[in-house]
Amino acid sequence: MAPYEALYRRKYRSPIGWFDVGESGLHGLDLIQQAVEKVKLIQEQLVTNQSHHKSYSNVQRRDLVFRVDDWVFLKVIQRVGQVAYELEFPLELECVHSIFHVSMLRKCIGDPTRVLPTNDAQIMEDLSDE
């Protein structure tokens, strides 16, 4: 199966199949001109759709900026690129990837000195605690 068919679950239509049945009598330059017009129409539609999508996502976007030593329920160690931050994890979570996109982070408002170590929590098998 071709990748296009696997992704869209239909057969790929070549540019020759873009025309109506009655237009199959086109030859030479007319066929090329029709294909170019169809491609331009498709490109315009793609630009329009991208513009709609971009305007919608910009409404939802929050420009968050954190500083080193800010707490986001974990400590920010450094900024990595424009929209990613490296976080400081406790030793028991060292297997977790430490770089996160800014959209995954929420600023912690509180006292970081009141953080309790995770090994003090006694979790039972039924997920209750004491």
Side-chain angles (χ1 to χ4, degrees):
M1 178 181 293
Y4 182 89
E5 293 176 26
L7 183 61
Y8 297 108
R9 297 182 186 198
R10 60 182 173 162
K11 294 255 184 222
Y12 173 75
R13 288 179 49 193
S14 70
I16 295 171
W18 292 353
F19 308 108
D20 294 333
V21 177
E23 296 178 358
S24 61
L26 296 174
H27 297 289
L29 294 177
D30 290 337
L31 181 63
I32 294 171
Q33 183 181 0
Q34 288 271 339
V36 168
E37 289 174 6
K38 299 279 183 175
V39 168
K40 283 183 182 179
L41 179 67
I42 291 169
Q43 288 174 338
E44 289 171 4
Q45 290 294 323
L46 285 173
V47 168
T48 302
N49 288 339
Q50 285 174 339
S51 173
H52 286 295
H53 181 70
K54 185 176 180 181
S55 66
Y56 176 75
S57 7
N58 285 344
V59 169
Q60 302 291 328
R61 181 167 291 128
R62 297 177 298 135
D63 289 331
L64 297 176
V65 177
F66 299 102
R67 295 186 313 260
V68 173
D69 292 334
D70 275 356
W71 286 78
V72 286
F73 294 105
L74 291 168
K75 186 177 177 183
V76 174
I77 297 176
Q78 69 176 342
R79 187 173 185 169
V80 182
Q82 292 291 321
V83 291
Y85 291 91
E86 183 175 1
L87 305 179
E88 180 181 352
F89 284 113
L91 291 177
E92 58 266 14
L93 294 175
E94 66 185 354
C95 62
V96 177
H97 188 65
S98 63
I99 298 176
F100 285 83
H101 189 269
V102 68
S103 65
M104 303 284 295
L105 305 175
R106 301 290 180 264
K107 186 152 185 147
C108 174
I109 304 196
D111 184 7
T113 61
R114 297 185 64 195
V115 175
L116 299 175
T118 56
N119 55 0
D120 289 346
Q122 301 295 324
I123 306 289
M124 305 301 182
E125 286 186 25
D126 63 351
L127 299 180
S128 64
D129 63 348
E130 290 185 13

